[in-house]
């Protein structure tokens, strides 16, 4: 699903950006063509105006006579222009009749209007032609026409087209890769949400299957049995109640994990005095059944240690760590909770001398439903969600949680929260 969505995003991005790129390349090529033609037109116009400026017209016996002897290329009394680049040049009188020409034989009559034209004289040669009216003393005395080949211009444009033909596909490839990468980045939050939902569904269906089966079997047994013994019926109902209560705890834990993903909004945070919070937890925990077989110590500072957070969530994280430590500490053991500051962090440690955690299991203890010793975990209760919930609470407060453990010697959980 996500790969298909990512491909669609990348395809549409590539199509959109590719279309923009092609239009941009076409516009750049058009500008390049215009610039090349303007440069050629300026050169052609300059050469033609030099020739036109050399034309002399005199009124002789009431007839106007045009002298072309000193016109470059056309006249006989001037040196030929070196490297003129002109294919042909011609002079037409005011009636547009050809009078004199140089190079290719032009038409006997002037058939085009004044200005620039692009013409083709054979299969391979294209020319840029200009026709200029020439005036003297305000009177039209004729037309000067000249033409230059477009060979150099075509060569420059061909090289530019080659550059575009190479660069545009390469750029399209880069755009496609960028679109694929951006699609992955854009889909990441959606993918995480989908993964969370999928994980929640899988976890819930996996863990709820057994208790639901137990409820159904006990209910069926109660319906099918013909026993009228109230104690037997009470035991069946008690089992159903215990299983339902356990399911309620599981569902609440799963909902918590699904609800508190990411950082807690700033507006939801309040100043929490960790010392006061831990003193409250101490009062509640000293009478807890889990602590009756062990020694529970609280080492707290004399001064306040304040953080920004949700007091209820932090309370739950600390209780999860203490409960976990008490469950896996044998009778006569010790669990100690320490609170102190470390640089810009509030540090909270839960230290026990219990059974410890094997090193191979340490990287996985914060995963949902992970149990180091499944038999022992079933006896002590729980679903393997406590540490996952604790880690999520700490991380949602911008903190860190670490663990160090040695088998048969004990475990130390350290929580670091940013000080206010």
């Amino acid at each position: 699903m996500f790969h298909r969505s990512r491909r669609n995003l990348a395809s549409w991005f590539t199509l959109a950006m590719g279309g923009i790129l092609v239009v941009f390349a076409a516009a750049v090529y058009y500008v390049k063509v215009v610039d090349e033609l303007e440069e050629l037109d300026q050169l052609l116009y300059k050469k033609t105006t030099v020739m036109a400026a050399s034309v002399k017209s005199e009124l002789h016996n009431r007839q106007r006579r045009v002298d072309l002897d000193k016109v470059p290329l056309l006249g006989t009394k001037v040196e030929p222009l070196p490297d003129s680049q002109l294919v042909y040049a011609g002079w037409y009188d005011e009636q547009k009749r050809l009078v004199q020409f140089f190079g290719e034989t032009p038409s006997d009559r002037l058939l085009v209007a004044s200005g620039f034209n692009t013409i083709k004289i054979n299969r391979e040669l294209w020319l840029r032609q200009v026709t200029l009216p020439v005036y003297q003393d305000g009177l039209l005395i004729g037309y000067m026409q000249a033409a230059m080949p477009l060979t150099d211009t075509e060569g420059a444009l061909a090289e530019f087209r080659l550059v575009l033909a190479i660069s545009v596909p390469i750029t399209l490839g880069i755009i496609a890769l960028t679109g694929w990468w951006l699609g992955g980045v854009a889909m990441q939050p959606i993918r995480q949400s989908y993964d969370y939902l999928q994980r929640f569904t899988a976890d819930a269906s996996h863990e709820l299957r057994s208790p639901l089966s137990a409820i159904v079997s006990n209910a069926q047994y109660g319906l099918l049995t013909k026993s009228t013994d109230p104690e037997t019926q009470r035991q069946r109902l008690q089992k159903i109640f215990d299983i339902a209560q356990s399911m309620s705890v599981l569902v609440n834990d799963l909902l918590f994990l699904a609800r508190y993903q990411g950082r807690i909004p700033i507006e939801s945070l309040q100043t929490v005095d960790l010392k006061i919070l831990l003193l409250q937890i101490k009062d509640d925990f000293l009478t807890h059944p889990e602590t009756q077989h062990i020694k529970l110590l609280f080492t707290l500072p004399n001064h306040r240690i304040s953080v920004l957070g949700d007091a209820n969530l932090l309370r739950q994280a600390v209780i999860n760590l203490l409960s976990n430590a008490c469950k896996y500490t044998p009778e006569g053991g010790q669990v100690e909770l320490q609170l102190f500051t470390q640089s810009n962090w509030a540090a909270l440690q839960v230290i026990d001398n219990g059974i410890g955690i094997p090193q191979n299991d340490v990287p996985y203890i914060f995963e949902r439903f992970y149990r180091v010793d499944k038999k022992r975990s079933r006896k002590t209760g729980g679903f393997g969600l406590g540490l996952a919930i604790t880690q999520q609470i700490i991380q949602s407060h911008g903190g860190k949680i670490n663990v160090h453990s040695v088998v048969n010697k004990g475990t130390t959980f350290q929580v670091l929260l940013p000080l206010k």
Side-chain angles (χ1 to χ4, degrees):
M1 172 182 172
F2 286 100
H3 290 298
R4 183 172 66 252
S5 299
R6 185 178 186 180
R7 284 195 300 270
N8 290 337
L9 282 175
S11 298
W12 282 108
F13 178 80
T14 303
L15 183 63
M17 296 303 296
I20 294 174
L21 176 65
V22 170
V23 172
F24 177 75
V28 170
Y29 181 73
Y30 175 78
V31 172
K32 178 68 173 177
V33 171
V34 172
D35 289 343
E36 290 289 336
L37 281 180
E38 284 184 354
E39 184 178 352
L40 181 64
D41 289 348
Q42 289 177 1
L43 179 61
L44 178 60
Y45 181 79
K46 182 178 180 180
K47 292 179 178 293
T48 307
T49 51
V50 169
M51 296 174 64
S54 302
V55 177
K56 301 298 182 183
S57 175
E58 296 178 356
L59 193 61
H60 200 67
N61 294 329
R62 297 184 179 181
Q63 291 184 350
R64 185 166 295 278
R65 179 174 175 273
V66 176
D67 183 10
L68 301 176
D69 289 343
K70 295 183 180 181
V71 177
L73 297 180
L74 296 179
T76 58
K77 296 183 179 180
V78 294
E79 295 290 332
L81 290 175
D83 191 23
S84 66
Q85 299 179 319
L86 295 178
V87 175
Y88 63 80
W91 173 260
Y92 293 83
D93 61 18
E94 61 271 21
Q95 282 79 36
K96 299 184 177 181
R97 295 188 298 253
L98 180 64
V99 176
Q100 198 164 332
F101 69 91
F102 156 80
E104 297 286 338
T105 304
S107 173
D108 291 339
R109 301 283 299 182
L110 185 61
L111 303 176
V112 296
S114 301
F116 291 92
N117 302 101
T118 300
I119 60 175
K120 185 178 183 180
I121 61 175
N122 55 51
R123 291 183 178 181
E124 297 181 356
L125 186 60
W126 286 83
L127 302 179
R128 188 67 171 170
Q129 175 184 276
V130 64
T131 303
L132 298 179
V134 181
Y135 292 89
Q136 183 173 319
D137 299 330
L139 296 175
L140 177 67
I141 61 174
Y143 299 87
M144 180 66 70
Q145 187 179 79
M148 292 180 64
L150 286 169
T151 306
D152 293 342
T153 302
E154 289 177 338
L157 292 177
E159 291 180 0
F160 191 67
R161 286 195 300 271
L162 179 62
V163 172
L164 292 179
I166 295 174
S167 60
V168 168
I170 292 176
T171 307
L172 281 175
I174 296 174
I175 289 174
L177 293 176
T178 304
W180 179 259
W181 177 75
L182 289 177
V185 173
M187 291 295 295
Q188 196 62 31
I190 302 175
R191 179 166 191 169
Q192 289 177 355
S193 300
Y194 180 80
D195 288 342
Y196 294 148
L197 177 61
Q198 194 174 39
R199 183 186 298 179
F200 174 82
T201 305
D203 293 345
S205 62
H206 177 268
E207 291 297 325
L208 291 175
R209 187 180 296 113
S210 296
L212 284 173
S213 299
I215 290 176
V216 171
S217 63
N218 279 279
Q220 286 177 338
Y221 182 84
L223 291 172
L224 296 175
T225 185
K226 297 180 180 181
S227 174
T228 57
D229 182 7
E231 182 61 26
T232 302
Q233 294 178 353
R234 191 194 68 80
Q235 290 177 358
R236 290 295 172 186
L237 292 174
Q238 183 64 42
K239 287 183 180 180
I240 294 175
F241 174 78
D242 292 339
I243 296 171
Q245 195 171 36
S246 176
M247 288 175 58
S248 177
V249 173
L250 171 61
V251 170
N252 287 334
D253 287 346
L254 288 174
L255 288 174
F256 176 88
L257 290 170
R259 186 183 303 116
Y260 291 99
Q261 298 290 350
R263 296 293 295 269
I264 298 176
I266 297 296
E267 56 272 14
S268 300
L269 300 179
Q270 296 179 348
T271 301
V272 178
D273 188 343
L274 291 179
K275 179 182 176 181
I276 295 177
L277 179 67
L278 296 182
L279 287 173
Q280 294 172 351
I281 294 174
K282 178 182 177 181
D283 293 338
D284 295 338
F285 237 80
L286 287 178
T287 58
H288 202 279
E290 293 178 346
T291 64
Q292 300 307 306
H293 67 287
I294 61 171
K295 183 179 180 180
L296 183 61
L297 299 177
F298 281 74
T299 304
L300 305 178
N302 296 324
H303 57 279
R304 295 180 56 182
I305 297 181
S306 299
V307 297
L308 281 177
D310 186 308
N312 292 327
L313 294 180
L314 292 175
R315 176 192 298 273
Q316 182 174 351
V318 175
I319 290 176
N320 286 348
L321 291 178
L322 285 175
S323 298
N324 201 63
C326 293
K327 285 178 183 178
Y328 297 105
T329 299
E331 187 174 352
Q334 176 178 297
V335 174
E336 182 181 4
L337 188 148
Q338 298 178 352
L339 177 64
F340 55 93
T341 58
Q342 180 177 305
S343 186
N344 294 323
W345 300 88
L348 186 150
Q349 290 188 158
V350 177
I351 307 169
D352 67 66
N353 57 358
I355 62 175
I357 304 171
Q359 289 300 312
N360 293 336
D361 293 309
V362 169
Y364 308 104
I365 61 173
F366 293 107
E367 293 184 3
R368 301 177 184 185
F369 300 105
Y370 186 82
R371 298 180 179 92
V372 176
D373 187 342
K374 293 178 174 56
K375 293 181 180 180
R376 185 182 297 270
S377 297
R378 291 300 183 186
K379 292 179 181 179
T380 57
F383 298 94
L385 292 175
L387 290 179
I389 290 175
T390 300
Q391 184 190 51
Q392 191 158 306
I393 291 174
I394 300 306
Q395 289 180 347
S396 67
H397 284 77
K400 298 177 286 187
I401 182 169
N402 305 306
V403 59
H404 174 73
S405 184
V406 179
V407 176
N408 297 325
K409 290 188 177 181
T411 303
T412 299
F413 283 91
Q414 184 185 62
V415 173
L416 297 176
L417 294 169
L419 289 170
K420 180 183 176 184

